[in-house]
Amino acid sequence: MALDKRDALEFPESDRVFLEPHLPRQDGTTPRSDMPFTTLTFATSLDSALALSPGARTTLSGPQSKAMTHYLRSRHDGILIGVGTALADDPGLNCRIAGVGGYGSEGLIGQPRPVVIDSNARWDFSEDSKLFQLCRQGRGRAPWIVTTLSEPPAEKQKLLEKYGGRYISLQMKNSTGDHHRIDWNDLLLTLRSHGLQSVMVEGGGHVINSLLVPQYMSLIDSVIVTIAPTWLGEGGVVVSPPRRFDGEGNAISAARLRNVKWYPFGEDVVLCGQTQS
Ligand SMILES: NC(=O)c1ccc[n+]([C@@H]2O[C@H](COP(=O)([O-])OP(=O)(O)OC[C@H]3O[C@@H](n4cnc5c(N)ncnc54)[C@H](O)[C@@H]3O)[C@@H](O)[C@H]2O)c1
Ligand SMILES: Nc1nc(=O)c(N)c(NC[C@H](O)[C@H](O)[C@H](O)COP(=O)(O)O)[nH]1
């Protein structure tokens, strides 16, 4: 069962070369020893939308950039989303590239650990959830769910642990005094302490907008964005971080990438850059 390659995606060696400078190091070392290498990656429309509406699973990536995203999954220890995405997508969050665990080789090598931010344990997963189906097929790992509850619901905890997942309890302690937001420093330190040396943050909108703020920008080691040639229109889930102002109260850009490279990829373009020089 674990060797079935029928529905595997192909991502040719020739396409991997351009990504290499933007990925975690192959030897597992990280720029900061206590933090994972953190990649921010998502697919967006021309009007900066991730999805048609908060509850809608919306395909943006073409076949080549979709395969690229799955290659990125194989190169990170963890893949992080918010509960809004878990509720909307019933996601698999595994890697479906030919050659990784469950898609041409044994075990779970190359399969990232899904991490879901779900402060109040809202996500009502079950044995039928796609993630657990993939676990049963040997094609993915069970999620770690980050909650602020000190005692997560016992039944859900039991199901998670049955598949090798777990709840991780984290205090809401935000340097800006926003008690509704997990502090990204705490979150990433915690994930590193649990063994993740690299994490790709995939979305959705709330997660990305909460990370793209000055106090957390330095935590992002790499940004890889797929831009699809489509406008989703009003009402979409957008990437648009909080406004910033200079000392005189004039609006300035919220964030700007440096060391930017653009790669055409099928009908999409993939933008790679860094949040600092
Ligand atoms: N195009 C893409 O690449 C892409 C990627 C991911 C998701 N999506 C889409 O995005 C949509 C979901 O986005 P969304 O913005 O509604 O949900 P989300 O996935 O960002 O989750 C939002 C929830 O996560 C929690 N959360 C997020 N950041 C937090 C923080 N810093 N501290 C504490 N809690 C935090 C909160 O409970 C919040 O309500 C879906 O439609 C999904 O299909 C698209
Ligand atoms: N790269 C990319 N292109 C897209 O067109 C799109 N819709 C997403 N969405 C990202 C989202 O985080 C996950 O793709 C889903 O949550 C589903 O995950 P699975 O594919 O089931 O593993 N990502």
Side-chain angles (χ1 to χ4, degrees):
M1 174 171 50
L3 294 173
D4 189 351
K5 274 184 76 172
R6 271 172 305 178
D7 45 350
L9 300 166
E10 296 292 338
F11 190 65
E13 205 56 49
S14 54
D15 284 340
R16 301 183 183 198
V17 179
F18 82 86
L19 280 173
E20 200 53 44
H22 311 285
L23 292 176
R25 296 174 195 144
Q26 302 260 25
D27 65 6
T29 58
T30 47
R32 286 146 302 177
S33 59
D34 58 346
M35 284 283 186
F37 184 102
T38 300
T39 303
L40 173 62
T41 182
F42 54 90
T44 179
S45 67
L46 296 176
D47 43 356
S48 200
L50 298 171
L52 285 162
S53 67
R57 189 175 173 130
T58 307
T59 299
L60 286 165
S61 303
Q64 290 103 324
S65 47
K66 179 179 175 182
M68 181 206 71
T69 298
H70 279 265
Y71 176 64
L72 296 185
R73 290 180 178 187
S74 75
R75 291 292 304 274
H76 291 80
D77 292 345
I79 172 172
L80 184 146
I81 58 162
V83 64
T85 300
L87 294 171
D89 291 1
D90 184 23
L93 298 176
N94 68 339
C95 171
R96 306 197 274 279
I97 284 284
V100 307
Y103 296 83
S105 71
E106 306 261 15
L108 288 172
I109 289 173
Q111 289 296 351
R113 171 71 63 186
V115 178
V116 181
I117 308 183
D118 186 6
S119 314
N120 297 315
R122 275 201 290 147
W123 184 24
D124 203 11
F125 51 82
S126 72
E127 291 270 3
D128 293 333
S129 300
K130 191 157 158 214
L131 267 158
F132 295 117
Q133 293 179 28
L134 290 167
C135 288
R136 288 196 289 279
Q137 295 164 4
R139 293 178 151 202
R141 296 180 198 271
W144 292 348
I145 302 181
V146 180
T147 175
T148 54
L149 305 176
S150 48
E151 284 189 35
E155 280 303 308
K156 290 193 199 176
Q157 183 159 10
K158 205 166 138 199
L159 178 54
L160 268 182
E161 288 175 0
K162 174 176 162 189
Y163 286 100
R166 57 179 299 182
Y167 276 107
I168 295 177
S169 292
L170 209 62
Q171 291 299 305
M172 284 273 192
K173 177 172 72 66
N174 185 310
S175 50
T176 63
D178 179 351
H179 296 295
H180 301 290
R181 295 261 166 244
I182 283 171
D183 185 303
W184 279 94
N185 283 293
D186 288 349
L187 175 55
L188 292 171
L189 278 169
T190 302
L191 295 179
R192 180 72 185 86
S193 72
H194 282 78
L196 301 188
Q197 287 172 320
S198 53
V199 174
M200 56 189 270
V201 177
E202 266 208 3
H206 283 90
V207 165
I208 296 170
N209 293 331
S210 79
L211 180 59
L212 277 178
V213 296
Q215 70 264 36
Y216 299 137
M217 214 78 85
S218 64
L219 301 175
I220 305 170
D221 296 295
S222 182
V223 178
I224 303 177
V225 179
T226 295
I227 302 168
T230 181
W231 289 271
L232 293 186
E234 292 173 5
V237 176
V238 293
V239 174
S240 183
R243 265 196 164 211
R244 290 181 65 194
F245 298 91
D246 66 14
E248 285 155 11
N250 303 309
I252 56 171
S253 69
R256 186 183 162 89
L257 294 177
R258 295 170 206 280
N259 305 325
V260 167
K261 300 263 194 249
W262 298 83
Y263 304 97
F265 228 64
E267 292 195 336
D268 303 335
V269 65
V270 171
L271 159 64
C272 300
Q274 292 171 319
T275 50
Q276 37 249 308
S277 43

